[in-house]
Amino acid sequence: MRTYNATALEVAVIGAGHAGIEAALAAARMGHETAIFTLSLDLVGNMPCNPSIGGTGKGHLVYEIEALGGEMGKAADKVMLQSRMLNLSKGPAVHSLRMQSDRRRYQDNMKATLEKEPRLKVIQAEVVEIRAEGGAVTGVVTAFGAFFPAKAVIIATGTSLGGRIIVGEHAYDSGPDNTKAATALSDSLRAIGVPLRRFKTGTPARIHKDSIDFSVLEEQKGDEPPTYFSVESEKSTGGHSCHITYTNAETHRIIRENLHRSPLFGGEIKGVGPRYCPSIEDKVVRFADKERHQIFIEPMGENTKEMYLQGLSSSLPEEVQLELVHSIKGLERAEFMRTAYAIEYDCTDPTELLPTLEFKAISGLYGAGQFNGSSGYEEAAAQGLMAGINAALKLEGKAPLVLSRGESYIGTLIDDLVTKGTGEPYRMMTSRSEYRLLLRQDNAEDRLIEKGRAAGLVSDAHYSRYLADKAAIEAEIARLRGESLPKTAELDALLESAGFEPTVGGIRKAELLKRPHISIYDIYRLEGNAAPPVDRIARRVETEIRYEGYIEKQRREVAKLASLENKRLPEDIDYSAIKGIRLEAAQKLEKLRPQSIGQASRISGISPADISVLLIYLSHRGDSEE
């Protein structure tokens, strides 16, 4: 067996999807010799599911990745086909950016970014074994028999680990898009004590653009001007439209009459699928009273005729897929370029991980992305970034970076996975956070940029621009709080149009902004302000003033949470020996080994009474950390 880089390599990343990319870049940019292994260099940054970045809740993750110094947002900006801010009819807490991306250009951009990183080696090779001795990783072995010593290994295998594609009665070992599956690595992981289970996801058919009748479809244009994830990155102009159509009674009849041929309902598929992104046959069965389901037709890129049918994920036989697609308005003559498929894959139980994403039982071994039981590019990238940062910090002998639920969606994502676990592919949604108004897209830098800066991932230019924005926001808030508008006919007309009585005299500008249906641009118009602040500054000021009471309330809640998170649980606690704690609680605490009272309180089945017993125990023991 050949040994490579015996003294140079520090971090080995397995997989070059969205999790692996962020992990490898973070470790390398923090000064550590890193290698990223991929089954094929043509798979770097692949988008096998849908050609977009962001979406409800997911856009928040991308903004946080950007604030910490990650790459996903910048890459998406460069290859944007369409940009839309979702949920604008609702409050700012749930505004979420979704960016239609050019799939191939995204891959090319990410591959070039990896190749240019000085401390990062990009290697096409199948990792078939992870070596560990004395409870710690020592390196990885490839299918060609090469051993790469490493002090940290990050598993970011996506759906390739034990991958198996299923279409109707036809099933075969494969990774996404008919690529090679990683089968040997699963056996190696089991051998070193990593528990594995089967999850499942799927993807719709891709059809030829020229076979679509766009004249009968609803057009969905992007926002103009477009919004971007990063102020720092190169920008694409976008301008591409998506289209909308719907399933119908005939579509549903075809599906119901062929359920006996569905591997999902026939038992061929063993893996657990995603609740919030089900196949079309699953939707028709689960929502039997629904007359139609929305289908988004999205471009895959500027230089391809492939179109993506979001909402039509399926594992039905190909001929059934063709029949159901042809029953849909505008798709009667659709020509398949890629058939839809389901894919099963191996992943681990995330409760085996620390909040740093390191395995509790194997020092130096980290998990990220779909391997940890999540779904989605954004969830994967967020975990990859944190795994890379924490692997680097551990090598440096420094304290880990663990984000809390009260400061980030990334913290919520990881805490949900490692504390509560997941019985199905986990998807981030704004409803998963208790602190949505604090964790908005527009203030991600305020919450996280200092942490990214401390890790060495935020550039001087990025940080300087942030400080300038912060100063401008604070100055504008102070100005609007300190200045008043005099009583005028224009002010009375604005108040009346918004449903308010005219004022007796003037009104503070900040107080006016707190009234519903009045925007900051109404105030600028009344001021005669010909040069208001740039939109990102103005909108941020508007939100901070309008919702300041609610924001302050959530800050107090976060402070209360922090007091529980600061009450650390010693590693040597014997939970079964604590008097007064229920047996179920003791068993769960013993298995999950939470690191703090706060984390313990979020474990399913742990009651407030159990937490009270723990607090009493810690006070008597006298060694809890504050």
Side-chain angles (χ1 to χ4, degrees), residues 467-483 524 533 537 541 545:
L467 292 177
D469 277 6
K470 182 180 180 182
I473 291 166
E474 291 173 351
E476 185 67 352
I477 290 174
R479 184 183 76 84
L480 293 176
R481 283 175 175 164
E483 294 180 359
Y524 291 150
I537 303 294
V541 168
I545 291 177

Side-chain angles (χ1 to χ4, degrees), residues 35-93:
I36 185 168
F37 295 87
T38 176
L39 292 165
S40 170
L41 289 176
D42 297 327
L43 283 175
V44 173
N46 189 27
M47 292 182 169
C49 184
N50 64 297
S52 68
I53 298 294
T56 303
K58 294 169 176 281
H60 292 71
L61 291 173
V62 182
Y63 274 100
E64 292 181 357
I65 290 166
E66 171 64 20
L68 287 165
E71 196 67 28
M72 175 173 268
K74 296 182 181 67
D77 287 349
K78 293 177 185 177
V79 302
M80 182 263 290
L81 299 175
Q82 184 195 85
S83 171
R84 290 186 68 237
M85 190 67 75
L86 308 181
N87 303 321
L88 285 177
S89 62
K90 302 176 182 179

Side-chain angles (χ1 to χ4, degrees), residues 283-346:
K283 284 191 281 190
V284 167
V285 170
R286 285 166 54 186
F287 308 105
D289 58 341
K290 194 165 185 177
E291 295 181 357
R292 65 180 190 172
H293 295 278
Q294 193 173 58
I295 308 299
F296 289 89
I297 304 175
E298 304 170 339
M300 297 289 289
E302 296 206 47
N303 298 316
T304 178
K305 293 280 189 177
E306 283 190 80
M307 303 294 285
Y308 178 83
L309 302 180
Q310 180 175 294
L312 272 182
S313 173
S314 179
S315 60
L316 286 164
E318 185 178 57
E319 64 270 25
V320 179
Q321 292 185 33
L322 277 164
E323 187 180 1
L324 73 88
V325 168
H326 288 162
S327 72
I328 297 172
K329 185 177 181 181
L331 306 182
E332 293 87 351
R333 297 172 56 249
E335 297 176 6
F336 275 29
M337 297 181 72
R338 305 187 199 218
T339 302
Y341 62 84
I343 184 168
E344 289 185 324
Y345 56 95
D346 288 339

